């Protein structure tokens, strides 16, 4: 996909479509089953049908994953309700919070902030490469002063995962 803001090539989350299909399937399944059960019981009215459709839409919004894209010097996370973008070449802070469901927090010099699931970076080496390149530029410029240890640990985890995948694919494990 082309990045229209800078004319460059953008890297995207290659697992997003499958996750989005699962979210749509779950929401449609819930809506279909609830409408069918209500209709079978003879209690389906237009108001109740609207309720089930609204609840299905809410489930879709909750389950739909954020779409992550990156390009030279930027990273964007677009959810169903809003989108956020940071300049990775001018980051001032990188942090991680949470244990079971960890989130990576990025802030740039313009005050932009976004949260990102690190598993997206694990599954998409091109996204990780764009982020890592931007982080190196931030370090060279001296803007990134907090969070380098979080990125170093994440980088080691991603490298280990990729090395294991290569070894497994080549039959060496």
């Amino acid at each position: 996909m082309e990045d229209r803001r800078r004319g460059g090539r953008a890297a995207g989350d290659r697992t997003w479509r499958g996750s989005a299909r699962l979210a749509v399937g779950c929401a449609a399944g819930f809506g279909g089953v609830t409408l069918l059960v209500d209709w079978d019981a003879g209690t389906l009215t237009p108001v109740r049908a609207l309720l089930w459709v609204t609840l299905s839409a809410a489930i879709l919004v909750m389950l739909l994953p954020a779409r992550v894209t990156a390009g030279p010097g930027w990273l964007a996370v677009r959810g169903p309700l809003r989108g956020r973008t940071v300049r990775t070449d001018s980051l001032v802070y990188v942090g991680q919070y949470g244990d079971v469901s960890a989130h990576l927090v990025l802030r740039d010099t313009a005050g932009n902030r976004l949260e990102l699931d690190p598993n997206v970076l694990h599954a998409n080496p091109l996204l990780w490469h764009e982020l890592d390149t931007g982080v190196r530029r931030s370090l060279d410029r001296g803007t990134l002063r907090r969070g380098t240890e979080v990125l170093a640990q994440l980088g080691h985890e991603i490298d280990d995962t990729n090395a294991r995948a290569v070894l497994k694919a080549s039959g060496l494990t």
Side-chain angles (χ1 to χ4, degrees):
M1 67 191 110
E2 287 293 323
D3 175 32
R4 291 183 176 89
R5 291 174 290 189
R6 288 174 190 68
R9 196 88 173 122
D13 181 2
R14 61 185 181 191
T15 62
W16 183 84
R17 280 196 174 133
S19 299
R21 266 191 298 253
L22 179 63
V24 169
C26 289
F30 173 79
V33 166
T34 53
L35 287 170
L36 187 63
V37 167
D38 212 2
W39 175 72
D40 188 49
T43 57
L44 184 63
T45 63
V47 173
R48 289 177 64 98
L50 180 63
L51 170 73
W52 296 129
V53 170
T54 304
L55 285 174
S56 297
I59 288 172
L60 177 63
V61 168
M62 287 188 298
L63 294 179
L64 195 64
R67 187 168 204 152
V68 181
T69 54
W74 60 273
L75 181 77
V77 175
R78 176 98 182 118
L81 301 177
R82 66 178 178 183
R84 304 261 177 153
T85 303
V86 293
R87 296 285 312 173
T88 57
D89 54 3
S90 62
L91 290 173
V92 294
Y93 172 78
V94 176
Q96 186 171 357
Y97 70 90
D99 294 330
V100 175
S101 176
H103 280 85
L104 200 61
V105 179
L106 305 170
R107 284 193 193 117
D108 65 12
T109 55
N112 299 319
R113 176 184 186 274
L114 68 76
E115 293 183 18
L116 170 69
D117 183 1
N119 291 327
V120 172
L121 298 174
H122 279 276
N124 297 282
L126 292 176
L127 288 175
W128 168 247
H129 173 71
E130 291 291 352
L131 176 60
D132 188 46
T133 302
V135 165
R136 291 176 196 275
R137 287 191 185 121
S138 293
L139 288 170
D140 290 344
R141 293 176 179 171
T143 60
L144 182 59
R145 298 177 192 263
R146 292 180 46 205
T148 55
E149 65 282 345
V150 170
L151 290 170
Q153 179 184 358
L154 183 61
H156 290 306
E157 290 173 7
I158 290 172
D159 290 343
D160 290 348
T161 302
N162 290 336
R164 276 192 225 103
V166 167
L167 290 172
K168 184 177 181 181
S170 63
L172 296 175
T173 58

